[in-house]
Amino acid sequence: MDFMNSQESLTTVDWILRSIVSFVFLLLAAKLMGQRSISQLRFLDFIIALTLGNILAHPLSDEKLGLKGSMTTTLVLIFLYVAATWLSLKWPLFRRYLDPPPIKLIKNGQIQFHNLSIARISIDYLFSELRKEKVEDIQKVSLAIWEPGGNISVFMNPLYQPLTPAEMKFETQPFNLTMPIIVEGKINMSLLKEIGKDPIWLKKMIGPTYAEISDVILATVDENENVRVYSLLESNLN
């Protein structure tokens, strides 16, 4: 475990071991911090990500810095992150500091210029985000909100929203989710078990066209237990 400590020089093996330990440690750290920390970064998430990156980067490039101290510091920061997240759920004032309320940027087709300054975004950036939402005319926007996570939520005026089948009183097919059950010749056994079937049933659904499951590059199954198969042969022909 000498590679964990500060040394005058490290061998190639020591550098490799440091990299492996740091990588595994970061995987565990991210798991401890939860899904939110790896989704869209908010204020607290950004601070933690920036700090952890600097703490663990230096021992991976400087042999005179020990890895043990960096890992200890990281664990303390993870504890503080989890504690701060918990406090934000219990203490409204702290929550408002970490996750400030959304800011209205557009209301009934009118830009709220004062709020643009509060959100610290430019008009060009606002229009760029509107283009991403396929909005060609700002007058059609009923409400646009700057969210704490840094994205803009856009709500169109009902007059310009597309009609839905429910509004037109059209009959539609029920929602039917399709999932891959064979990928590159390997069966997704957990999915097969979830739908209450076995490999014998799957082989029967594939049909006589495919002698072996290993010949199938992709097969999908929907909620009605309909199986659609894509073969390696078809892929090569295309």
Side-chain angles (χ1 to χ4, degrees), residues 2 10 12 14 44 53 60 70 73 84 105 108 110 115 128 133 144 175-176 189 223 230 236:
D2 289 339
L10 292 175
T12 302
D14 289 335
L44 179 61
L60 292 178
S70 295
T73 305
L105 303 180
N108 297 327
Q110 300 296 318
N115 288 342
S128 172
E133 298 294 329
F175 177 75
N176 195 359
M189 297 302 296
E223 294 181 345
Y230 305 82
N236 292 333

Side-chain angles (χ1 to χ4, degrees), residues 195-229:
I195 63 176
K197 301 298 181 180
D198 56 24
I200 297 176
W201 171 85
L202 184 58
K203 184 69 170 62
K204 185 184 299 183
M205 294 300 294
I206 289 174
T209 307
Y210 309 95
E212 299 293 338
I213 288 179
S214 58
D215 295 331
V216 179
I217 188 172
L218 175 65
T220 59
V221 62
D222 59 27
E223 294 181 345
N224 295 325
E225 299 177 1
N226 297 315
V227 177
R228 183 176 180 181
V229 183

Side-chain angles (χ1 to χ4, degrees), residues 13-85:
V13 175
D14 289 335
W15 283 116
I16 293 173
L17 290 175
R18 273 198 180 192
S19 301
I20 293 173
V21 170
S22 298
F23 179 73
V24 174
F25 180 70
L26 279 176
L27 289 178
L28 295 174
K31 193 68 174 178
L32 285 173
M33 288 190 293
Q35 190 70 22
R36 169 181 153 169
S37 64
I38 57 176
S39 61
Q40 197 165 40
L41 293 181
R42 297 196 176 191
F43 178 70
L44 179 61
D45 308 321
F46 174 76
I47 294 298
I48 289 295
L50 190 65
T51 306
L52 292 186
N54 278 283
I55 288 173
L56 281 175
H58 292 298
L60 292 178
S61 59
D62 189 348
E63 62 268 18
K64 294 182 180 180
L65 296 176
L67 190 59
K68 187 183 298 182
S70 295
M71 294 175 67
T72 302
T73 305
T74 300
L75 287 175
V76 172
L77 288 174
I78 291 172
F79 172 78
L80 293 175
Y81 173 85
V82 174
T85 304

